[in-house]
PDB file of all heavy atoms in Angstrom:
ATOM      1  N   VAL A1429     -16.409 -67.181 151.060  1.00 94.00           N
ATOM      2  CA  VAL A1429     -17.443 -67.859 151.770  1.00 94.00           C
ATOM      3  C   VAL A1429     -18.455 -68.659 150.804  1.00 94.00           C
ATOM      4  O   VAL A1429     -18.787 -69.704 151.103  1.00 94.00           O
ATOM      5  CB  VAL A1429     -18.186 -66.929 152.746  1.00 94.00           C
ATOM      6  CG1 VAL A1429     -19.429 -67.578 153.305  1.00 94.00           C
ATOM      7  CG2 VAL A1429     -17.195 -66.482 153.874  1.00 94.00           C
ATOM      8  N   HIS A1430     -18.794 -67.971 149.734  1.00 95.00           N
ATOM      9  CA  HIS A1430     -19.715 -68.575 148.783  1.00 95.00           C
ATOM     10  C   HIS A1430     -19.157 -69.325 147.670  1.00 95.00           C
ATOM     11  O   HIS A1430     -19.740 -69.541 146.609  1.00 95.00           O
ATOM     12  CB  HIS A1430     -20.614 -67.433 148.253  1.00 95.00           C
ATOM     13  CG  HIS A1430     -21.698 -66.973 149.133  1.00 95.00           C
ATOM     14  ND1 HIS A1430     -22.937 -67.400 149.259  1.00 95.00           N
ATOM     15  CD2 HIS A1430     -21.571 -65.995 150.062  1.00 95.00           C
ATOM     16  CE1 HIS A1430     -23.633 -66.768 150.197  1.00 95.00           C
ATOM     17  NE2 HIS A1430     -22.862 -65.930 150.708  1.00 95.00           N
ATOM     18  N   ILE A1547     -39.605 -73.620 153.841  1.00 93.00           N
ATOM     19  CA  ILE A1547     -39.352 -72.368 154.633  1.00 93.00           C
ATOM     20  C   ILE A1547     -38.203 -72.735 155.573  1.00 93.00           C
ATOM     21  O   ILE A1547     -38.146 -73.721 156.184  1.00 93.00           O
ATOM     22  CB  ILE A1547     -40.588 -71.953 155.345  1.00 93.00           C
ATOM     23  CG1 ILE A1547     -40.452 -70.657 156.070  1.00 93.00           C
ATOM     24  CG2 ILE A1547     -41.198 -72.961 156.286  1.00 93.00           C
ATOM     25  CD1 ILE A1547     -41.696 -70.062 156.551  1.00 93.00           C
ATOM     26  N   LEU A1600     -38.176 -74.662 168.483  1.00 86.00           N
ATOM     27  CA  LEU A1600     -37.579 -74.410 167.100  1.00 86.00           C
ATOM     28  C   LEU A1600     -38.303 -75.257 166.105  1.00 86.00           C
ATOM     29  O   LEU A1600     -37.744 -75.955 165.333  1.00 86.00           O
ATOM     30  CB  LEU A1600     -36.089 -74.755 167.112  1.00 86.00           C
ATOM     31  CG  LEU A1600     -35.227 -73.621 167.776  1.00 86.00           C
ATOM     32  CD1 LEU A1600     -33.822 -73.931 167.700  1.00 86.00           C
ATOM     33  CD2 LEU A1600     -35.564 -72.247 167.138  1.00 86.00           C
ATOM     34  N   GLU A1683     -56.837 -56.498 149.748  1.00 92.00           N
ATOM     35  CA  GLU A1683     -57.002 -56.206 151.233  1.00 92.00           C
ATOM     36  C   GLU A1683     -57.293 -57.489 151.875  1.00 92.00           C
ATOM     37  O   GLU A1683     -58.022 -58.267 151.459  1.00 92.00           O
ATOM     38  CB  GLU A1683     -57.995 -55.162 151.556  1.00 92.00           C
ATOM     39  CG  GLU A1683     -57.414 -53.806 151.594  1.00 92.00           C
ATOM     40  CD  GLU A1683     -58.612 -52.815 152.122  1.00 92.00           C
ATOM     41  OE1 GLU A1683     -59.667 -53.214 152.341  1.00 92.00           O
ATOM     42  OE2 GLU A1683     -58.212 -51.578 152.133  1.00 92.00           O
ATOM     43  N   HIS A1692     -74.117 -72.428 161.502  1.00 59.00           N
ATOM     44  CA  HIS A1692     -75.570 -72.279 161.015  1.00 59.00           C
ATOM     45  C   HIS A1692     -76.464 -72.299 162.298  1.00 59.00           C
ATOM     46  O   HIS A1692     -76.180 -73.054 163.239  1.00 59.00           O
ATOM     47  CB  HIS A1692     -75.921 -73.443 160.075  1.00 59.00           C
ATOM     48  CG  HIS A1692     -77.333 -73.123 159.416  1.00 59.00           C
ATOM     49  ND1 HIS A1692     -78.568 -73.446 159.944  1.00 59.00           N
ATOM     50  CD2 HIS A1692     -77.538 -72.601 158.184  1.00 59.00           C
ATOM     51  CE1 HIS A1692     -79.494 -73.105 159.134  1.00 59.00           C
ATOM     52  NE2 HIS A1692     -78.814 -72.578 158.011  1.00 59.00           N
ATOM     53  N   SER A1767     -47.848 -23.378 155.645  1.00 83.00           N
ATOM     54  CA  SER A1767     -47.854 -22.225 156.685  1.00 83.00           C
ATOM     55  C   SER A1767     -48.373 -22.721 158.076  1.00 83.00           C
ATOM     56  O   SER A1767     -48.049 -22.074 159.121  1.00 83.00           O
ATOM     57  CB  SER A1767     -48.648 -21.056 156.176  1.00 83.00           C
ATOM     58  OG  SER A1767     -49.969 -21.443 156.043  1.00 83.00           O
ATOM     59  N   ASN A1804     -23.715 -49.150 133.655  1.00 89.00           N
ATOM     60  CA  ASN A1804     -22.303 -49.709 133.730  1.00 89.00           C
ATOM     61  C   ASN A1804     -21.899 -49.907 135.261  1.00 89.00           C
ATOM     62  O   ASN A1804     -20.744 -50.029 135.540  1.00 89.00           O
ATOM     63  CB  ASN A1804     -21.323 -48.798 133.080  1.00 89.00           C
ATOM     64  CG  ASN A1804     -21.633 -48.607 131.636  1.00 89.00           C
ATOM     65  OD1 ASN A1804     -21.904 -49.623 130.861  1.00 89.00           O
ATOM     66  ND2 ASN A1804     -21.468 -47.384 131.081  1.00 89.00           N
ATOM     67  N   PRO A1960     -17.157 -58.223 195.474  1.00 70.00           N
ATOM     68  CA  PRO A1960     -16.471 -58.028 196.833  1.00 70.00           C
ATOM     69  C   PRO A1960     -15.023 -58.151 196.688  1.00 70.00           C
ATOM     70  O   PRO A1960     -14.408 -59.093 196.138  1.00 70.00           O
ATOM     71  CB  PRO A1960     -17.172 -59.149 197.653  1.00 70.00           C
ATOM     72  CG  PRO A1960     -18.439 -59.539 197.018  1.00 70.00           C
ATOM     73  CD  PRO A1960     -18.127 -59.294 195.508  1.00 70.00           C
ATOM     74  N   TRP A1981      -4.634 -33.134 177.909  1.00 95.00           N
ATOM     75  CA  TRP A1981      -5.522 -32.347 177.148  1.00 95.00           C
ATOM     76  C   TRP A1981      -6.407 -31.460 178.073  1.00 95.00           C
ATOM     77  O   TRP A1981      -6.654 -30.366 177.834  1.00 95.00           O
ATOM     78  CB  TRP A1981      -6.384 -33.224 176.253  1.00 95.00           C
ATOM     79  CG  TRP A1981      -7.269 -32.385 175.365  1.00 95.00           C
ATOM     80  CD1 TRP A1981      -7.158 -31.737 174.261  1.00 95.00           C
ATOM     81  CD2 TRP A1981      -8.685 -32.106 175.743  1.00 95.00           C
ATOM     82  NE1 TRP A1981      -8.283 -31.144 173.815  1.00 95.00           N
ATOM     83  CE2 TRP A1981      -9.302 -31.265 174.719  1.00 95.00           C
ATOM     84  CE3 TRP A1981      -9.505 -32.401 176.885  1.00 95.00           C
ATOM     85  CZ2 TRP A1981     -10.592 -30.913 174.778  1.00 95.00           C
ATOM     86  CZ3 TRP A1981     -10.892 -32.021 176.880  1.00 95.00           C
ATOM     87  CH2 TRP A1981     -11.322 -31.209 175.862  1.00 95.00           C
ATOM     88  N   SER A2028     -22.137 -21.282 180.162  1.00 96.00           N
ATOM     89  CA  SER A2028     -23.253 -22.361 180.006  1.00 96.00           C
ATOM     90  C   SER A2028     -23.133 -23.413 181.102  1.00 96.00           C
ATOM     91  O   SER A2028     -21.986 -23.831 181.451  1.00 96.00           O
ATOM     92  CB  SER A2028     -23.073 -23.054 178.594  1.00 96.00           C
ATOM     93  OG  SER A2028     -24.029 -24.153 178.522  1.00 96.00           O
ATOM     94  N   ARG A2043      -8.109 -33.948 190.394  1.00 91.00           N
ATOM     95  CA  ARG A2043      -7.547 -33.773 191.791  1.00 91.00           C
ATOM     96  C   ARG A2043      -7.363 -35.046 192.511  1.00 91.00           C
ATOM     97  O   ARG A2043      -6.332 -35.183 193.195  1.00 91.00           O
ATOM     98  CB  ARG A2043      -8.456 -32.751 192.533  1.00 91.00           C
ATOM     99  CG  ARG A2043      -8.429 -31.305 192.055  1.00 91.00           C
ATOM    100  CD  ARG A2043      -9.402 -30.436 192.743  1.00 91.00           C
ATOM    101  NE  ARG A2043      -9.244 -30.329 194.118  1.00 91.00           N
ATOM    102  CZ  ARG A2043      -9.955 -29.666 194.982  1.00 91.00           C
ATOM    103  NH1 ARG A2043     -11.063 -29.102 194.547  1.00 91.00           N
ATOM    104  NH2 ARG A2043      -9.680 -29.573 196.302  1.00 91.00           N
ATOM    105  N   LYS A2050       0.575 -41.011 194.456  1.00 60.00           N
ATOM    106  CA  LYS A2050       1.859 -40.270 194.725  1.00 60.00           C
ATOM    107  C   LYS A2050       2.921 -40.925 193.976  1.00 60.00           C
ATOM    108  O   LYS A2050       2.890 -42.034 193.595  1.00 60.00           O
ATOM    109  CB  LYS A2050       2.088 -40.338 196.201  1.00 60.00           C
ATOM    110  CG  LYS A2050       1.028 -39.745 197.128  1.00 60.00           C
ATOM    111  CD  LYS A2050       0.903 -38.283 196.914  1.00 60.00           C
ATOM    112  CE  LYS A2050      -0.129 -37.675 197.898  1.00 60.00           C
ATOM    113  NZ  LYS A2050      -0.263 -36.188 197.641  1.00 60.00           N
ATOM    114  N   ARG A2081     -12.491 -23.248 192.064  1.00 89.00           N
ATOM    115  CA  ARG A2081     -13.076 -22.202 192.825  1.00 89.00           C
ATOM    116  C   ARG A2081     -13.820 -21.102 191.911  1.00 89.00           C
ATOM    117  O   ARG A2081     -14.814 -20.610 192.280  1.00 89.00           O
ATOM    118  CB  ARG A2081     -12.139 -21.448 193.718  1.00 89.00           C
ATOM    119  CG  ARG A2081     -11.662 -22.376 194.927  1.00 89.00           C
ATOM    120  CD  ARG A2081     -10.537 -21.591 195.635  1.00 89.00           C
ATOM    121  NE  ARG A2081     -10.050 -22.393 196.743  1.00 89.00           N
ATOM    122  CZ  ARG A2081      -8.951 -22.223 197.461  1.00 89.00           C
ATOM    123  NH1 ARG A2081      -8.250 -21.042 197.229  1.00 89.00           N
ATOM    124  NH2 ARG A2081      -8.558 -22.915 198.476  1.00 89.00           N
ATOM    125  N   VAL A2172      -8.016 -38.559 168.649  1.00 96.00           N
ATOM    126  CA  VAL A2172      -9.071 -37.742 169.329  1.00 96.00           C
ATOM    127  C   VAL A2172      -9.631 -38.374 170.664  1.00 96.00           C
ATOM    128  O   VAL A2172     -10.136 -37.667 171.451  1.00 96.00           O
ATOM    129  CB  VAL A2172     -10.321 -37.587 168.343  1.00 96.00           C
ATOM    130  CG1 VAL A2172     -11.123 -38.907 168.207  1.00 96.00           C
ATOM    131  CG2 VAL A2172     -11.224 -36.503 168.846  1.00 96.00           C
ATOM    132  N   GLN A2211     -14.672 -46.944 172.569  1.00 87.00           N
ATOM    133  CA  GLN A2211     -13.890 -46.749 171.414  1.00 87.00           C
ATOM    134  C   GLN A2211     -14.669 -47.165 170.113  1.00 87.00           C
ATOM    135  O   GLN A2211     -14.184 -47.069 169.091  1.00 87.00           O
ATOM    136  CB  GLN A2211     -12.629 -47.546 171.431  1.00 87.00           C
ATOM    137  CG  GLN A2211     -11.612 -47.060 172.519  1.00 87.00           C
ATOM    138  CD  GLN A2211     -10.335 -47.854 172.578  1.00 87.00           C
ATOM    139  OE1 GLN A2211     -10.101 -48.534 171.641  1.00 87.00           O
ATOM    140  NE2 GLN A2211      -9.772 -47.895 173.787  1.00 87.00           N
TER     141      GLN A2211
END
Side-chain angles (χ1 to χ4, degrees):
V1429 169
H1430 284 267
I1547 185 170
L1600 284 180
E1683 267 189 359
H1692 192 274
S1767 62
N1804 299 319
W1981 179 86
S2028 174
R2043 290 172 63 182
K2050 302 294 184 182
R2081 288 175 181 171
V2172 71
Q2211 297 177 20

